[in-house]
Amino acid sequence: MTFTGKIRIYLILIALLPPLTVMAVIYFSSMQQVENSTYQNAYNDLNILIRLYETYEGDLRSKAEQYAVSSPMQKAVLLVKAGRLNEVKLAEKPVELDFMEIIDGTGKVLASSHRPGLTGNIVQDCFAGVRRPVYGFMETLEYDLNGRHAALVYLYPLDNNLLMYCGKYINENLLNVLGAVRTAEFTVLFKAGADSSQVDLGGMNKNELYEKDGRIYAILAGGGESGYYLISEYSGGGGAIVIASILKATGAVAAVSILAAIFLGIFITGRAKREIDNLVTATGRVAQGDFSTPVMAYEEGEFSQLADSISEMMIKLKRLQRELATTEKIAAWKSIGQKIAHEVKNPLTPIALSVDDLRRSYIEKLPDFEKTLMECTTTVREEVRRLTRLLDQFVSFARMNAPTISEVKAGQFIDSITALYQRNIERGQLRMVNKSRRQYFQFDPEAIKQVFLNTIKNSFESGPDIKVTITISDTVEGLEILIEDDGPGFAAHILERRFEPYLSGKKDGSGLGLIICQRIIHDHGGVIDIYNRPEGGAGVNIKIPFENGQNTNN
């Protein structure tokens, strides 16, 4: 991952962690309190609802008792006792009552206010048999033309064997009154039918709180043999809602913070990346040896200071490069001068000895003077020739000019090399393999040809029956030339002190051949190296950058 990418992630984390921490603290510290508060609130609500329901029962009993002693009811009782049931009229019941009947001790309906179909029948199945109606309240199911109703019934004695059976339906009116007083939801569930499966009421007692699936319930009325349940469900107040609202608001803040962090991170890292790319480009130019172009930052600040520091470093490096080049040249020429002095002394010694022998033979009139003259002059001639060759190579090295780069056809250049060694190629001593896809090379053809000639000559002179293989190919760095042979390879001291002037593994070698090759390749911006092959033999690796050539596709 890039540095700018890490910065963006860090900014997002910085924006995300605080709101998430706040949300976690709010949630874990408050939820338990909310649960306790919710249960306590539900308990308080249940107690209030129980008292309200008791008040509801008290109102029902009061209305029933008032009507029981009223004139219409007294008249109806007298008519019933006289056996004149067809004359009984109960239509004038109080509006607070939903139903009212006169029953006997067996539960048989003798007269009804608005349910004439019940006359002559047992008002409740529970009264059938030996069970008799008991004074007081009952929770039952009642039926009329509108269907089934959950009801609260009140039984009131009228005479020795007569009772008033009256009550009210537990309907929407009652539920609305209860819901308006407390924050609870009410549902009437019948024991038989589709509604009975909404809540599992097994083991639940009346007027007790139960928690199922995170919700709190209570049976406010019904149960037992009543045939229905009046269920109250408690929301627990607004604590959970408030916490949920806080969490939502905190989440919204977190989302906004993340978006702001993303945009801020893109903005900041974009500007930083532009500055960094600018500095990377500048350091790349420095790595390639370009110390002339100053580094400029886009904005003031730390990057501007860094750019100024790099520019100052480039100026110092340029100055140091010039000083180092001068020092290297002085050291190189000093070394070459020492080598030349040493190499010149070697032929001068046999020349001096030969001159002394010739002079002594002439003065002493030795009989074999002519023989001595021929031997001495031959020695002098060979050493002078050796000295001349040494000086000629030095002059050639000293006079080397910068290469003249030109566009050369690849095939034409390779043919010019193979033409010089046609006989060796025919004998199998030299093999040329061109793997490059380049149609043109851009270099000094005469200088590069001299590199080929020097390295091939060194290979052939390293021993008898030497076979040389030349391979030209393209690499990532540029054009690569491998010149390998199967000879004895380079001596250890040659590899250790490679490209040192006047260091040669041959008896009469000048030690300048590889130095000249290195100078030529270096002037082309390339590199050259020597090595010994693992399977035996010597090798020369030459690489010339691609800018000195043209690709096949161009």
Side-chain angles (χ1 to χ4, degrees):
M1 181 179 292
T2 62
F3 176 72
T4 53
K6 292 180 179 179
I7 291 179
R8 292 171 183 175
I9 292 178
Y10 294 155
L11 289 174
I12 292 174
L13 290 178
I14 291 173
L16 185 61
L17 288 178
L20 286 182
T21 304
V22 173
M23 292 173 67
V25 170
I26 292 175
Y27 181 81
F28 290 108
S29 65
S30 303
M31 287 307 295
Q32 186 62 41
Q33 298 179 9
V34 169
E35 290 178 3
N36 296 336
S37 175
T38 299
Y39 203 86
Q40 184 63 41
N41 292 336
Y43 181 77
N44 295 334
D45 287 349
L46 177 61
N47 289 330
I48 294 175
L49 290 173
I50 292 174
R51 290 195 294 270
L52 288 175
Y53 193 74
E54 291 175 349
T55 302
Y56 182 74
E57 289 180 339
D59 291 341
L60 175 60
R61 180 176 57 215
S62 175
K63 296 298 182 182
E65 292 175 352
Q66 290 178 9
Y67 188 70
V69 297
S70 65
S71 297
M73 178 57 71
Q74 293 297 323
K75 179 180 179 180
V77 170
L78 292 175
L79 291 174
V80 169
K81 291 174 69 175
R84 298 160 59 183
L85 297 179
N86 57 340
E87 298 180 16
V88 176
K89 302 295 183 182
L90 296 178
E92 300 298 328
K93 67 177 181 63
V95 295
E96 292 85 359
L97 300 177
D98 291 322
F99 58 91
M100 184 180 65
E101 282 83 26
I102 298 176
I103 63 175
D104 61 11
T106 62
K108 181 179 179 181
V109 178
L110 302 177
S112 176
S113 61
H114 72 295
R115 297 187 295 181
L118 289 178
T119 303
N121 297 317
I122 301 299
V123 69
Q124 287 289 339
D125 294 338
C126 61
F127 296 152
V130 297
R131 182 176 178 180
R132 296 177 59 83
V134 179
Y135 305 152
F137 289 101
M138 293 177 58
E139 293 175 330
T140 64
L141 291 179
E142 298 294 331
Y143 297 87
D144 58 14
L145 294 177
N146 294 322
R148 178 178 58 177
H149 303 278
L152 178 63
V153 176
Y154 183 67
L155 286 171
Y156 184 77
L158 297 174
D159 199 350
N160 291 335
N161 196 36
L162 296 178
L163 299 98
M164 184 175 65
Y165 184 91
C166 62
K168 290 181 66 65
Y169 297 145
I170 299 177
N171 52 20
E172 292 296 328
N173 294 329
L174 175 60
L175 299 184
N176 291 335
V177 171
L178 295 176
V181 176
R182 305 309 301 171
T183 56
E185 295 181 4
F186 301 91
T187 306
V188 176
L189 301 179
F190 297 97
K191 288 186 177 181
D195 294 340
S196 61
S197 62
Q198 292 183 7
V199 179
D200 183 10
L201 302 176
M204 293 178 61
N205 297 322
K206 188 176 179 180
N207 295 333
E208 293 184 6
L209 293 177
Y210 295 91
E211 185 174 357
K212 289 181 179 292
D213 301 327
R215 306 170 74 181
I216 299 176
Y217 298 92
I219 299 177
L220 187 62
E225 297 180 355
S226 63
Y228 71 91
Y229 296 94
L230 174 58
I231 305 297
S232 58
E233 179 183 346
Y234 304 91
S235 61
I241 298 176
V242 172
I243 293 177
S245 300
I246 294 175
L247 293 178
K248 289 181 180 179
T250 308
V253 172
V256 173
S257 300
I258 292 173
L259 291 176
I262 291 175
F263 288 116
L264 184 61
I266 293 175
F267 175 75
I268 294 176
T269 55
R271 296 166 71 92
K273 186 176 185 301
R274 182 176 63 171
E275 297 285 1
I276 292 173
D277 291 342
N278 180 43
L279 295 177
V280 169
T281 302
T283 54
R285 291 198 304 266
V286 173
Q288 295 176 359
D290 181 10
F291 305 130
S292 59
T293 305
V295 182
M296 302 296 293
Y298 291 99
E299 297 178 3
E300 295 293 332
E302 289 80 359
F303 284 109
S304 178
Q305 296 175 3
L306 182 58
D308 294 340
S309 299
I310 294 177
S311 298
E312 183 177 355
M313 179 193 68
M314 292 170 62
I315 295 174
K316 293 180 179 179
L317 285 175
K318 187 175 182 180
R319 186 186 310 116
L320 182 61
Q321 185 185 45
R322 290 197 300 265
E323 295 175 356
L324 182 60
T326 303
T327 303
E328 289 180 349
K329 288 180 180 179
I330 294 174
W333 282 111
K334 181 179 179 180
S335 175
I336 291 175
Q338 293 175 348
K339 291 291 185 178
I340 290 176
H342 176 73
E343 294 296 329
V344 168
K345 288 180 180 180
N346 289 336
L348 290 180
T349 300
I351 290 175
L353 292 175
S354 297
V355 171
D356 290 340
D357 289 342
L358 183 59
R359 184 173 180 275
R360 183 173 54 82
S361 297
Y362 176 75
I363 293 175
E364 295 179 0
K365 305 297 183 181
L366 296 179
D368 55 351
F369 175 73
E370 292 183 1
K371 180 181 178 182
T372 301
L373 176 63
M374 294 300 296
E375 291 177 354
C376 290
T377 54
T378 299
T379 300
V380 171
R381 185 180 298 108
E382 290 178 356
E383 295 300 328
V384 169
R385 185 182 302 111
R386 178 184 172 190
L387 184 59
T388 301
R389 185 170 62 252
L390 176 65
L391 294 176
D392 287 341
Q393 290 183 346
F394 172 73
V395 171
S396 176
F397 174 73
R399 290 180 176 177
M400 286 182 64
N401 297 322
T404 303
I405 306 298
S406 62
E407 191 175 81
V408 181
K409 287 187 177 181
Q412 183 177 350
F413 175 78
I414 294 174
D415 291 341
S416 67
I417 300 297
T418 56
L420 298 175
Y421 295 95
Q422 189 62 41
R423 182 175 297 180
N424 301 92
I425 294 175
E426 293 174 356
R427 293 176 180 177
Q429 297 176 327
L430 178 65
R431 188 165 67 98
M432 180 81 72
V433 180
N434 181 20
K435 297 181 180 179
S436 174
R437 300 179 58 209
R438 308 169 75 79
Q439 294 181 345
Y440 296 95
F441 299 139
Q442 290 185 351
F443 49 52
D444 188 332
E446 295 301 324
I448 299 299
K449 183 183 293 185
Q450 184 177 354
V451 173
F452 273 87
L453 297 180
N454 286 354
T455 52
I456 294 173
K457 179 174 178 292
N458 287 341
S459 294
F460 282 147
E461 291 179 352
S462 63
D465 300 327
I466 299 298
K467 295 182 180 179
V468 181
T469 301
I470 301 175
T471 306
I472 303 174
S473 59
D474 297 329
T475 65
V476 177
E477 291 82 5
L479 187 68
E480 183 179 54
I481 302 171
L482 296 179
I483 303 175
E484 298 179 325
D485 61 45
D486 59 354
F490 292 104
H493 72 281
I494 298 296
L495 291 176
E496 184 179 355
R497 301 162 59 189
R498 61 188 68 188
F499 303 112
E500 185 175 322
Y502 298 101
L503 180 66
S504 176
K506 294 181 289 185
K507 182 178 179 181
D508 58 348
S510 64
L512 289 176
L514 285 177
I515 296 297
I516 293 174
C517 293
Q518 184 194 39
R519 171 76 177 275
I520 293 173
I521 298 302
H522 181 271
D523 289 344
H524 280 76
V527 293
I528 181 172
D529 193 19
I530 60 175
Y531 58 92
N532 282 334
R533 301 170 62 206
E535 61 271 24
V540 178
N541 187 314
I542 300 170
K543 292 180 180 178
I544 302 175
F546 274 145
E547 55 263 26
N548 288 331
Q550 184 175 336
N551 195 284
T552 302
N553 299 326
N554 292 345

